[in-house]
Amino acid sequence: MNEKLYAGLDAAYPEMVEIRRHLHMNPEPSFHETKTAQYIRQYYEKLGVEVEHGVGGNGVVARIQGAKPGKTVALRADFDALPIQDQKENVPYKSTVEGVMHACGHDGHTATLLVLGKTLHNMRNELEGTYVVIHQHAEELVPGGAKSMIEAGVLEGVDVIFGTHLWSTTPFGRIDLRVGPIMAAADSFELTVQGRGGHGASPHETIDAVVIGSQIVSNLQPLVSRRVDPLESAVLSVGSFVAQNPFNIIADQAVLSGTVRSFKEDVRSLMETEMERVIEGTSMANNSRYEFNFKRGYPPVINHEKETHYVKGIAQTVPGVAEVYDCPPQMGGEDFAYYLEEIPGTFFFTGAMPDGDVYPHHHPKFDFKEEAMLLAAKTLGAAALNFHK
């Protein structure tokens, strides 16, 4: 059965590339992916596959029923783009939408799953069980699309779920996975420091929001090294500090924002509590006021042990996979976490490092090796087919 799956995917690889490039040229940002959702829906309708659209927002779900009884396996791919200007050069598939591009590989995820869905549909008379093909909107922007799709019932009756992410900084031919936490909780924060402005020549008459904000940034940095157990992991990054004024005016207000990443709930709560304690103390010492908002994003992606070992074994047999690597966890976030909170499953990385220059995800020149889509499809497909045994 695997050989027939692989042969079908090999034959359809040019279509996979064509779909990916079409989507790359026509990206849509999170929660605005109406044309992309329509494209996905129409693809399945032309095949005669049962498909539901508008699931939890812009989500699309196809269901492929095998001729024989068996378990229900879900496969998921995301399809939203990012508000980034495409700066790639010398490629025929550069984004045609100003200020929007697929800078994270979701176009490749969608092409992978569409062609895999088609291949499974063509094999339906030989298949066992049911295959729920989840095309999810809005992974890039909290609250994301996974939670609303789950609330709409996409996991009802599903026994297991598998997903992958094409990873541009991992060598092509390698599958990365691990039991337990593989991606971090992705939280964000915004802080407004309220002082009292004035003339730059009379600082003694002001409460300088820039100085206080700078102190807060410095005071927050030791939290990870001095408050978090050194055997645990956390990241605190201030990404924006805005206090716009003429050169000779002392700012009355500064707005700071950033992100916090962690893997465990107790560390997550500790960071939130300790951040506000530091901010409050620094503000009190400077006679200023503040407003602090800590926004919880996606929970950590926690892979289930049995299903991860299962996919590891499958990946080792997939043609073209040169290495299966037990990778360390990484601090990126993913709302696939919500699926794994509900049912067993696993999420893995498919190495997609391009030839030539390599750019990380969310970079304006991001790209990936398109052949990685074929390895992703074969690994997901084999995991789905063999789960019934």
Side-chain angles (χ1 to χ4, degrees):
M1 187 81 76
N2 284 355
E3 288 70 23
K4 186 170 183 177
L5 172 75
Y6 299 152
L9 290 170
D10 284 334
Y13 174 65
E15 180 186 12
M16 197 181 288
V17 172
E18 181 182 350
I19 293 170
R20 182 261 166 157
R21 294 186 177 190
H22 167 79
L23 295 174
H24 198 87
M25 293 174 68
N26 298 277
E28 294 179 299
S30 305
F31 297 106
H32 297 277
E33 321 94 329
T34 54
K35 292 181 180 178
T36 308
Q38 183 182 37
Y39 179 92
I40 295 168
R41 173 176 60 85
Q42 290 176 345
Y43 184 89
Y44 286 112
E45 287 177 343
K46 290 176 182 177
L47 294 174
V49 174
E50 176 189 348
V51 62
E52 183 181 0
H53 61 95
V55 181
N58 290 327
V60 182
V61 180
R63 286 179 172 81
I64 299 164
Q65 184 65 53
K68 306 171 187 178
K71 297 176 182 178
T72 299
V73 179
L75 303 170
R76 174 270 201 175
D78 38 19
F79 60 81
D80 56 326
L82 286 154
I84 297 173
Q85 180 65 38
D86 193 343
Q87 296 180 12
K88 286 191 295 299
E89 300 171 352
N90 303 319
V91 296
Y93 49 85
K94 186 174 180 179
S95 172
T96 62
V97 181
E98 188 73 20
V100 183
M101 72 170 288
H102 275 289
C104 201
H106 297 186
D107 51 339
H109 299 169
T110 302
T112 296
L113 198 55
L114 283 173
V115 172
L116 175 56
K118 177 181 179 179
T119 305
L120 291 172
H121 174 67
N122 290 340
M123 298 172 61
R124 63 191 180 280
N125 292 332
E126 304 167 56
L127 298 183
E128 299 172 81
T130 303
Y131 301 84
V132 180
V133 186
I134 300 172
H135 290 274
Q136 184 206 305
H137 61 297
E139 185 278 328
E140 295 287 3
L141 186 63
V142 175
K147 200 168 185 179
S148 62
M149 292 191 75
I150 292 168
E151 291 168 354
V154 296
L155 295 182
E156 291 178 7
V158 174
D159 295 297
V160 71
I161 187 167
F162 301 120
T164 190
H165 203 306
L166 299 171
W167 212 247
S168 70
T169 54
T170 294
F172 172 68
R174 196 173 90 184
I175 299 293
D176 286 5
L177 77 176
R178 75 186 310 271
V179 173
I182 189 169
M183 299 187 78
D187 301 322
S188 62
F189 64 88
E190 184 169 287
L191 167 65
T192 300
V193 176
Q194 187 61 56
R196 184 174 65 238
H199 199 288
S202 304
H204 60 291
E205 297 176 353
T206 72
I207 299 174
D208 192 335
V210 170
V211 170
I212 299 165
S214 301
Q215 289 178 1
I216 289 172
V217 171
S218 295
N219 292 343
L220 287 174
Q221 298 312 302
L223 286 184
V224 173
S225 64
R226 290 297 177 267
R227 297 295 296 127
V228 176
D229 186 329
L231 299 180
E232 303 295 347
S233 298
V235 166
L236 192 167
S237 296
V238 178
S240 176
F241 188 133
V242 179
Q244 189 67 42
N245 280 294
F247 77 98
N248 61 345
I249 300 297
I250 290 175
D252 69 330
Q253 187 179 90
V255 179
L256 292 74
S257 61
T259 187
V260 176
R261 306 296 171 108
S262 57
F263 291 105
K264 293 187 176 179
E265 185 59 34
D266 58 343
V267 175
R268 200 178 191 186
S269 297
L270 175 71
M271 290 298 292
E272 181 178 1
T273 301
E274 291 296 288
M275 284 182 70
E276 180 141 27
R277 186 181 64 81
V278 166
I279 292 166
E280 181 180 19
T282 308
S283 297
M284 186 178 298
N286 286 279
N287 197 29
S288 62
R289 293 177 289 115
Y290 72 92
E291 183 177 333
F292 176 61
N293 180 28
F294 189 98
K295 185 176 181 181
R296 295 210 167 201
Y298 305 148
V301 179
I302 310 292
N303 281 338
H304 295 246
E305 182 175 8
K306 180 180 177 182
E307 290 69 26
T308 303
H309 286 310
Y310 164 73
V311 170
K312 180 179 180 180
I314 290 291
Q316 289 170 338
T317 69
V318 172
V321 173
E323 180 184 4
V324 180
Y325 175 59
D326 288 312
C327 64
Q330 63 109 328
M331 287 294 180
E334 240 283 356
D335 71 350
F336 195 87
Y338 291 120
Y339 300 110
L340 296 178
E341 287 186 335
E342 299 293 326
I343 62 171
T346 196
F347 189 75
F348 60 93
F349 301 111
T350 300
M353 184 180 291
D355 301 326
D357 294 331
V358 176
Y359 297 97
H361 294 253
H362 295 210
H363 190 281
K365 292 186 177 182
F366 170 85
D367 208 350
F368 63 84
K369 191 176 184 69
E370 290 177 320
E371 289 90 337
M373 296 188 293
L374 191 55
L375 289 187
K378 289 180 177 180
T379 305
L380 284 173
L385 288 183
N386 290 277
F387 189 74
H388 303 279
K389 297 180 180 179

